[in-house]
Amino acid sequence: GAVVSQHPSWVICKSGTSVKIECRSLDFQATTMFWYRQFPKQSLMLMATSNEGSKATYEQGVEKDKFLINHASLTLSTLTVTSAHPEDSSFYICSARDTSGYEQYFGPGTRLTVT
Amino acid sequence: DAKTTQPTSMDCAEGRAANLPCNHSTISGNEYVYWYRQIHSQGPQYIIHGLKNNETNEMASLIITEDRKSSTLILPHATLRDTAVYYCIVRRGGTSYGKLTFGQGTILTVHP
């Protein structure tokens, strides 16, 4: 099956700093990528949808100026958490949809801890 | 996209079949039923999807009722590694695929 990677797999940062998470589709082209967030013992919550070369679409309640998404190529999307606070600590998971649209593949997730 | 209802948790003995139900009574004609699972601290893994016919792959079988208002995911011979949260998701298909929206899922525990 298709592979989606994320880097880093975990990161610890200080409050007020910014953190960038990368999501790559390794063996397929992804015109659409998605970013999810998951708090402990909760389900995945969709944060935003990004299409290659255009601005991301954010779900209601997600601050676009805080969670910057860039989808500059068909294999790479980045999520930058700006001015991170402890409440941003979470498991961030990206997902990529192949060009057929049928299937959507998920990355292994990035654990962010803000101290 | 239609909402789904799943039991909060289920148990299964190792080696037996695990049958996970899902209710999607408001499903529309162009909506597919997808199943994903999430093992602890990992990203979701695709299992199977279907529109109206029953489907089978190397991981599982998907049985969709004739009225499409419910479905069952079957893991034929569950192993301890199948312990995970299983998500049933209804997603719009066709020329404009809908988003995958996750509910609470079913926590499946496979015990020896």
Side-chain angles (χ1 to χ4, degrees), chain A residues 56-75:
Chain A
T57 302
Y58 291 81
E59 296 297 306
Q60 192 171 9
V62 178
E63 300 174 59
K64 63 179 181 181
D65 294 330
K66 180 169 183 62
F67 299 100
L68 302 179
I69 292 171
N70 185 293
H71 189 168
S73 79
L74 287 173
T75 59

Side-chain angles (χ1 to χ4, degrees), chain A residues 34 36 38 41-44 46 49 59 91 93 97 100-109 111, chain B residues 32 34 36 38 40-46 49 87 91 96-105:
Chain A
F34 305 85
Y36 292 80
Q38 186 175 33
K41 297 190 187 301
Q42 294 187 23
S43 187
L44 285 79
L46 180 64
T49 302
E59 296 297 306
F91 193 48
I93 304 168
R97 181 187 291 171
S100 76
Y102 268 133
E103 296 191 29
Q104 192 169 318
Y105 306 95
F106 286 80
R111 177 81 54 194
Chain B
Y32 289 73
Y34 279 75
Y36 282 80
Q38 186 179 26
H40 183 62
S41 293
Q42 297 183 24
Q45 176 189 22
Y46 166 82
H49 76 279
Y87 297 98
R91 177 196 182 201
S96 175
Y97 288 94
K99 296 176 279 193
L100 285 176
T101 302
F102 289 77
Q104 292 307 306

Side-chain angles (χ1 to χ4, degrees), chain B residues 8-23:
Chain B
T8 302
S9 63
M10 294 182 67
D11 287 335
C12 177
E14 189 177 20
R16 305 297 288 269
N19 297 283
L20 290 88
C22 179
N23 184 291

